Amino acid sequence: MNPELFHADLEAKPSALADLAAWLEKEPLTLPEGLRRVVFLGMGSSRYAAGVAALRLRARGFDAYAEYGSAAATFPAGPETLVVPISATGGSRETLDALARYAGGPSPVVALTNVEGSKIAEGADQVIPMLAGEERGGVACRTFQHTLVLLLALESRLTGAARDIPELVRRAAAATSDLLDRRDDWLATALELLDGAHGVYAIAPAERMSSAEQSALMVREGPRRPADACESGDWSHVDVYLTKTLDYRALLFPGSRYDEQAMDWVRQRGSTVLTVGGHVEGERASIRYRHDDDPDVALLTETLVAELVAAHWWRAA
Ligand SMILES: O=P(O)(O)OC[C@H]1O[C@](O)(CO)[C@@H](O)[C@@H]1O
């Protein structure tokens, strides 16, 4: 893994998204007919993206689950159950092991990967390419963003919503460019506010939980600092306890009806909260960007803040 190349991978996000939007315009996803259930399989950031996709599908009345590839058992195979193994590298052992339980069976298998001809493609009936280009830094960042896009496209196809996903991707590219172009206005503040003795906490609503999880992963994977993720409502049952004893510093992605409940404790305990894409009372600072009022753009874009913070600390280490 290499911090300079990771940084370059982040800089290339807008152009990779533009290519993905153009591809989606030309190649609408095709799926087998008669599906009633979806089982996503993955590890790390691939599973984070799947968790949000499954929640969204369930909210639209579709049976959907995001499982760890490493779980010893997952949903039984059947012709109405679509199995979607997700692996950017196409080689995570746990995801391949889970896929092996379905390969050649009654479930259709549609794999998502960024590496053509990788192991994961061998057990799949169909492969959807992530089209994120090579991540030379060795850290999944563009692939995470593209996985989310493709899972939104899958959702649109499964639910018959017929959403204009290419247009959403172009808006996310504009939002991403805006954050990159204006980083001199916000990055120094973010670095200062999040740099504490006890690590970084990331908080997001359930519908964008992947943003908190991926943000915490970036801080662990690059600069190897302690970091963790918490859901905004769950925060009052889980992370609130840390605010009494730690120098608690958090990145908050607003949008939950329970933000204020958490912020009440944050204000009382004098903890540090930096918001991304919106405001809450008691924040120390806020990072705004183009189209941040659209929750789907936010889902696709907001992890860039933690990724750039992680890249900076990693390069300086
Ligand atoms: O999507 P993949 O390639 O299976 O990787 C899963 C996870 O493993 C890592 O590659 C780290 O080993 C992460 O970057 C990623 O989140």
Side-chain angles (χ1 to χ4, degrees), residues 8 10 110 124 157 176 188 204 214 239 249 266 270 304 307:
L10 299 175
V110 176
R157 180 74 184 74
T176 301
Q214 172 74 357
D239 270 23
R249 292 167 186 252
V266 164
L304 181 57
E307 288 166 331

Side-chain angles (χ1 to χ4, degrees), residues 5-21 130-135 139-149 169-180 183 211 214-215 218 297-308:
L5 295 177
F6 172 53
H7 196 256
D9 285 340
L10 299 175
E11 303 262 9
K13 276 186 167 195
S15 68
L17 285 172
D19 291 348
L20 180 62
M130 289 181 188
L131 301 171
E134 187 192 354
E135 288 172 319
V139 175
C141 52
R142 288 199 307 265
T143 48
F144 168 74
Q145 197 174 32
H146 287 217
T147 298
L148 282 169
V149 167
V169 177
R170 282 190 286 268
R171 283 161 64 81
T176 301
S177 292
D178 186 40
L179 272 175
L180 286 166
R183 84 191 87 165
S211 299
Q214 172 74 357
S215 295
M218 293 298 94
V297 171
L299 174 72
L300 296 176
T301 308
E302 61 200 0
T303 55
L304 181 57
V305 169
E307 288 166 331
L308 282 169

Side-chain angles (χ1 to χ4, degrees), residues 1 41-48 86-96 112-115 120 130 135 138-141 143-144 147 214 217-218 221:
M1 292 197 290
L41 304 167
M43 300 302 289
S45 51
S46 290
R47 190 186 59 82
Y48 300 159
I86 305 168
S87 176
T89 57
S92 285
R93 180 184 159 193
E94 303 85 348
T95 307
L96 293 174
L112 256 69
T113 184
N114 199 41
V115 180
I120 205 165
M130 289 181 188
E135 288 172 319
V139 175
C141 52
T143 48
F144 168 74
T147 298
Q214 172 74 357
L217 174 59
M218 293 298 94
E221 192 170 348

